Amino acid sequence: MVRAFPYLLRPHVFASRNRARRRQRGDLSRGLLFGGIGVVVCAVLFRASAWLAGQLTGYAELGDYLLRLGLSWLFLTFLSFLAFSGVVTALSTFFLSDDLRLLVAAPVATRRLFHARFVRTVVQSSWMVVIFLVPVLMGVGWARCATPAYYLTAVLTVVPFAIIPVAAGTAATLVLVNTFPARRARDLLMLMGLLFAASLVILLRFIRPEQLMKVESLPDLTDFFATLQSPITPLLPSFWAGETIFATLRGGRDLLHAGALWTTALASIVILRAASERWYFSGYSRSQEAPKARFTRFRTLDVVARLLPLSPVRRQLLVKDLKIFLRDVSQWSQLLLLLALVLLYLYNFRVLDVQRIPYMSEFLKNVYAFVNLGMAGFVMATIAVRFVFPAVSIEGHAFWIIRTAPISLRDFLWSKFWTGFVPVFVLTEFLTIVANEFLGVEPFLKVIAAIAIVFMSFALVGMATGLGARYPRFGADVSQAAGSYGGVTFMLQAVLFIIVMIILLGWPSSLYLVHQVRAIPLTVGQEIWMATCFATAAGLSVTLWIRSMRAGVQALQRMGE
Amino acid sequence: MLRVSPMISIQDLVKQYGKFTAVDGVSLDVSPGEIHGFLGPNGAGKTTTLRMIAGLLKPTSGRVLVNGHDVATEPEAAKASLGFIPDRPFIYEKLTAGEFLRFHGGLYGLGEDGLDGRAREMLELFDLGRWENELVESFSHGMKQRLVMSAAFLHRPRAVVVDEPMVGLDPRGARLIKDVFRTMSARGVAILMSTHTLEVAQEMCDRISIILKGRIIARGTVPEIRAMGDGHDDHLTSVFLKLTGGSGLQEIDEII
């Protein structure tokens, strides 16, 4: 008996069920944490969209027009996201997933396999969009006192709306995999995605949205709306989705656009299925071919490492970590995004016009110096969670090599610490010094910030390394490790630490500056207080650094129990 | 007569996972130059025992000595004398074979001088010479297995612990490994080898221990083990099945 295609989805259903049944340490707190964040985000989205839709009601025709436009733009944004997500997910679900070896070898018709994989691709690519859309559409409906028909239409609209771009993305993957080997295609896609994101960030920054805040630079209203329309818009599923929902919101029905959505979705499935029956196996077969990978040998790295005053073990660990990092496109390509963020960060301080309010400029400059310190701390925490926290996890299944080698796990973890510390410290110290220079803050604050970064680097990199060793995810890739329970725990601790540091440094610094401006000498008591605060900040950093590393080493040592 | 102290010595080793006892009081000695076979059905406790010797698992109780060093109290000294070859050869995919061996040598304290030459020598020995500058990710299972073996012998260990050495190897590779093991054993290296391939154990091992449900149930040279059977079979298979309760195989015919 040939079972229907949902049978092929059973392993995923069972796996999810088993995961839910067999809770692991930290699952509950992770669930509560992520669930709590999710509920808060959904509530905020619901309230914000309800408020906005409610406000627009007051503008009659114009309000309706803006709401209609807003819906169309919302769906347009998601359309591009879904298409790109579809390409990446399809690459994994159709070509790189491990269970395909079992399924392709089994007597399963390509058509059934396609249906099962396509359902999985649609769900995996679109769940985030759906979670975002649900509170937004509910908020709009609530503000407009919509009938149940609105909510039903919303569901019936979102389904085909998600299918169409994901089908387009899957088709693109099919073409891509039949042109390049799948593993190379994945590298290309990651790079494309990151370049796309980085250029978008830079572009957004360089069009200077802060100019919009100035009334004199706002364009004429009609011109503004004209730019939002384009001849191609009505041909896109995002427009159809927006129109369908908007019509029900006003108590009517837009069967034309709803029909367009459903017929296009079904047609894209049929066409994609036919293409899949014709080209899937050849693409899958190509993806199995082990390409003789091109790679860089990094001979200079070996030469430079030999010059460093390190023990052979630490040198070999450093060289190994750097080579693996630089050869793994999914890791180093993140640096592009980081570069974009750094440029953006410095550019923000460059364009910051603190002189606009003359009597406030001195005060503002010094406040910004602490904002800068906080920002540098967050940048540091972000880099640490992405690059330092997974340092133990990336040893992966090859960790037995370290554990059976005659080196202490302490040496191993400290090597990981220093490998992460140097780049993180250099980058954030550079950012802080340059940004403070752009701002022209007081020399005293410049020194305080520069010293604070030294201590914060030790503490944050130590925390990331230590927690990475306590909560390793050996089977996971880098981003999964960073987003795991340990990664989230690190981010929470890091944020708390940064806040405490800013308080401990901000209060005595402001005291000093106020006395400087007013030319009043500090009392002995105040000086003691200042010293205590600075010493507490330094002590806290060092304690966190050492304790985290010790806990990490102990966790590694306990691993074999 | 001068008594040679064992290179690998395990004493009353126990490993418990909650209420389940995976290894239950195993004691075993492997002398220099001896190839000791460690046999047993799946789930008998072989890999757990080997992982405790390699320092990957902490015993619940008992001791493991390698070259006279206690793995629990002097892990670095014990590990420096040991080469470990796991059953699944997971290695860094983004390193080349040469880079991996140099890294491995560094971990075992081999100096830069001569490391390149030694790495090349091992690659040639394990028939991987022309793959020195290729990424491990492009290797087959058998090639990875041979690379792990070349790493295990790179630092000239005094003892080697190997889990299922023949899995995934072609006949040529298997022959090569047997020759290497014999040569190493002739040079005084103690080898403790777990295997399911009884022919390999019969052909290569000086002594054999059979483990079942975490306990050693038989130990001796190949003729001694064979004598534990009914004595009619030249092969170890029937003895192994008799000792480990594999008589259910007779029912296969009826089922099929």
Side-chain angles (χ1 to χ4, degrees), chain A residues 341-391:
Chain A
L341 284 172
V342 168
L343 285 175
L344 200 74
Y345 184 83
L346 291 178
Y347 182 79
N348 274 327
F349 282 98
R350 192 84 188 90
V351 298
L352 210 59
D353 190 9
V354 285
Q355 304 297 342
R356 207 168 40 184
I357 319 166
Y359 59 92
M360 289 287 281
S361 68
E362 280 308 308
F363 169 74
L364 271 181
K365 268 191 234 174
N366 295 322
V367 168
Y368 273 129
F370 280 98
V371 173
N372 182 27
L373 188 64
M375 289 298 287
F378 288 122
V379 169
M380 205 190 294
T382 313
I383 298 170
V385 78
R386 186 63 190 73
F387 296 102
V388 183
F389 177 82

Side-chain angles (χ1 to χ4, degrees), chain A residues 118-248:
Chain A
F118 187 64
V119 167
R120 211 176 132 189
T121 312
V122 171
V123 171
Q124 278 188 19
S125 321
S126 61
W127 68 268
M128 224 188 282
V129 166
V130 172
I131 283 180
F132 187 86
L133 268 176
V134 166
V136 170
L137 294 180
M138 279 175 71
V140 172
W142 186 75
R144 290 294 184 105
C145 305
T147 59
Y150 164 79
Y151 298 101
L152 181 68
T153 310
V155 174
L156 292 175
T157 305
V158 170
V159 174
F161 170 73
I163 290 174
I164 299 166
V166 174
T170 309
T173 302
L174 194 63
V175 173
L176 210 63
V177 171
N178 275 283
T179 317
F180 304 100
R183 282 164 219 286
R184 177 74 40 200
R186 183 172 57 174
D187 292 355
L188 280 172
L189 276 173
M190 279 188 172
L191 205 60
M192 265 166 53
L194 280 159
L195 282 173
F196 172 72
S199 50
L200 200 70
V201 168
I202 293 174
L203 189 72
L204 271 175
R205 191 52 256 178
F206 279 82
I207 57 171
R208 303 185 70 176
E210 68 271 14
Q211 295 292 323
L212 292 174
M213 295 296 111
K214 296 180 183 172
V215 177
E216 64 271 21
S217 64
L218 266 183
D220 182 54
L221 200 63
T222 45
D223 288 350
F224 177 70
F225 287 132
T227 58
L228 297 178
Q229 291 291 11
S230 107
I232 200 168
T233 315
L235 298 175
L236 294 174
S238 51
F239 180 78
W240 309 337
E243 288 297 296
T244 309
I245 287 182
F246 183 71
T248 28

Side-chain angles (χ1 to χ4, degrees), chain B residues 214-226:
Chain B
R215 288 173 170 274
I216 300 282
I217 53 162
R219 177 175 298 145
T221 59
V222 173
E224 284 168 354
I225 294 283
R226 204 180 286 143

Side-chain angles (χ1 to χ4, degrees), chain B residues 33 42 194 197 207 225 249:
Chain B
N42 291 329
S194 105
T197 322
R207 285 198 304 155
I225 294 283
L249 287 172

Side-chain angles (χ1 to χ4, degrees), chain A residues 9-50:
Chain A
L9 296 169
R10 274 190 173 192
H12 309 291
V13 176
F14 290 167
S16 307
R17 187 193 63 190
N18 293 341
R19 254 200 310 272
R21 278 183 186 168
R22 285 169 211 167
R23 282 204 210 114
Q24 289 180 342
R25 190 178 60 154
D27 273 1
L28 187 67
S29 43
R30 185 171 38 218
L32 286 174
L33 182 74
F34 285 124
I37 293 171
V39 168
V40 170
V41 170
C42 284
V44 169
L45 284 172
F46 176 82
R47 283 299 305 162
S49 53

